């Protein structure tokens, strides 16, 4: 199991959370996963009485220890099966479905997410807070009302939102990108406080190998009320 020919299957919130479960030397971060079912965090959280269930994949689980992130180097195949209602309200620096991707994440559909970090130098992204691998054909936010992407009236009334405080970096798909983002779509709202960097697809595109291609943003990118001195863009917040 965990190979291209025999991937681990993810069908429930618990199984998705366990993709990144790591204690000591034991983890699954280099394995191959295939999502075979719609995963609904809203239903699961309601039944368990918790609202902030997911831990970013790659964030090491050690109680009482400082934050440690180990990059995901495997393959996660979403198969266009939706992940719905992911709520992640974090004090950790890197917040997203993946804390850091150095492998391949593709065909993930993240519907109605709410992802926020209160860290002063936060990296927030719907699919990955940081990407040094490949993010392909992923979607973040509510479904567009029309198939030709020409009418997005009503999207702002949805609860989908990614946010960072002053000094943070946020992108709809990836917070900070140093590699490849291709064929992706964001329709979620992106916002930051004063001094933040915010982009519809990628917050910060960093380095000569950082590429964003064949991707589209239809989500509003804005500021918290009264905020100023932001780097902000419909596609990229900052490109170095």
């Amino acid at each position: 199991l965990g190979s291209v020919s025999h991937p681990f299957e993810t069908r429930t919130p618990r199984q998705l959370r366990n993709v990144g479960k790591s204690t000591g030397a034991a983890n699954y971060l280099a394995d191959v996963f295939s999502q075979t079912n719609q995963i609904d965090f809203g239903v699961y959280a309601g039944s368990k009485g918790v609202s902030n269930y997911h831990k970013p994949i790659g964030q090491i689980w050690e109680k009482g220890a400082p934050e440690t992130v180990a990059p995901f180097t495997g393959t996660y195949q979403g198969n266009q099966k939706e992940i719905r209602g992911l709520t992640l309200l974090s004090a950790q620096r890197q917040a997203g479905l993946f804390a850091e991707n150095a492998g391949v994440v593709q065909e993930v559909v993240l519907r109605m997410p709410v992802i926020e970090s209160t860290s002063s130098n936060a990296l927030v992204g719907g699919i990955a807070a940081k990407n040094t691998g490949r993010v392909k054909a992923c979607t973040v936010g509510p479904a567009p009302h029309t198939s030709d992407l020409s009418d997005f009236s009503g999207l702002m009334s949805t609860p989908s939102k990614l946010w960072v405080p002053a000094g943070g970096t946020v992108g709809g798909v990836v917070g900070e990108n140093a590699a490849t983002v291709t064929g992706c779509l964001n329709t979620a709202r992106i916002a930051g406080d004063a001094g933040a960097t915010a982009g519809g697809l990628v917050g910060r595109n960093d380095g000569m190998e950082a590429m964003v291609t064949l991707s589209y943003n239809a989500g509003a990118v804005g500021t918290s009320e009264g905020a100023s001195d932001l780097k902000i863009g419909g596609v990229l917040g900052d490109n170095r």
Side-chain angles (χ1 to χ4, degrees), residues 10 33-36 75-80 104-108:
T10 52
F33 295 84
S34 178
Q35 187 174 326
T36 58
T75 297
Y76 189 92
Q77 174 68 47
N79 295 312
Q80 298 295 332
V104 177
V105 179
Q106 58 189 12
E107 295 186 353
V108 172

Side-chain angles (χ1 to χ4, degrees), residues 41-235:
F41 276 93
V43 172
Y44 186 87
S47 68
K48 298 294 183 182
V50 294
S51 60
N52 196 24
Y53 178 74
H54 185 69
K55 303 289 186 184
I57 295 168
Q59 187 182 96
I60 306 302
W61 300 11
E62 297 289 350
K63 289 185 177 180
E67 176 189 11
T68 303
V69 171
F72 177 78
T73 58
T75 297
Y76 189 92
Q77 174 68 47
N79 295 312
Q80 298 295 332
K81 305 289 186 182
E82 294 186 355
I83 299 170
R84 300 185 64 85
L86 174 67
T87 298
L88 182 56
L89 310 176
S90 177
Q92 305 297 335
R93 179 173 185 253
Q94 292 177 218
L97 181 63
F98 290 79
E100 181 173 343
N101 172 54
V104 177
V105 179
Q106 58 189 12
E107 295 186 353
V108 172
V109 179
L110 197 59
R111 293 288 188 221
M112 317 305 279
V114 176
I115 303 175
E116 302 180 5
S117 171
T118 56
S119 173
S120 61
N121 61 344
L123 288 178
V124 169
I127 301 300
K130 184 175 182 179
N131 178 53
T132 56
R134 185 174 179 85
V135 176
K136 179 181 179 182
C138 292
T139 300
V140 177
H145 289 244
T146 57
S147 59
D148 65 358
L149 305 182
S150 63
D151 179 10
F152 292 93
S153 60
L155 287 180
M156 285 299 291
S157 64
T158 69
S160 295
K161 178 184 177 183
L162 287 80
W163 176 88
V164 291
T169 298
V170 58
V173 177
V174 170
E176 182 177 272
N177 178 50
T180 301
V181 175
T182 185
C184 293
L185 168 67
N186 174 65
T187 59
R189 291 178 293 161
I190 310 300
D193 275 353
T197 299
L201 289 171
V202 171
R204 178 182 296 117
N205 212 38
D206 194 2
M208 293 295 293
E209 296 184 3
M211 297 186 298
V212 180
T213 63
L214 303 174
S215 298
Y216 192 94
N217 174 55
V221 185
T223 68
S224 301
E225 186 175 353
S228 59
D229 299 323
L230 280 85
K231 293 180 179 179
I232 190 170
V235 176

Side-chain angles (χ1 to χ4, degrees), residues 23-39:
T23 53
N27 65 62
Y28 303 96
L29 296 173
D31 289 315
V32 179
F33 295 84
S34 178
Q35 187 174 326
T36 58
N37 193 37
Q38 176 176 297
I39 295 174

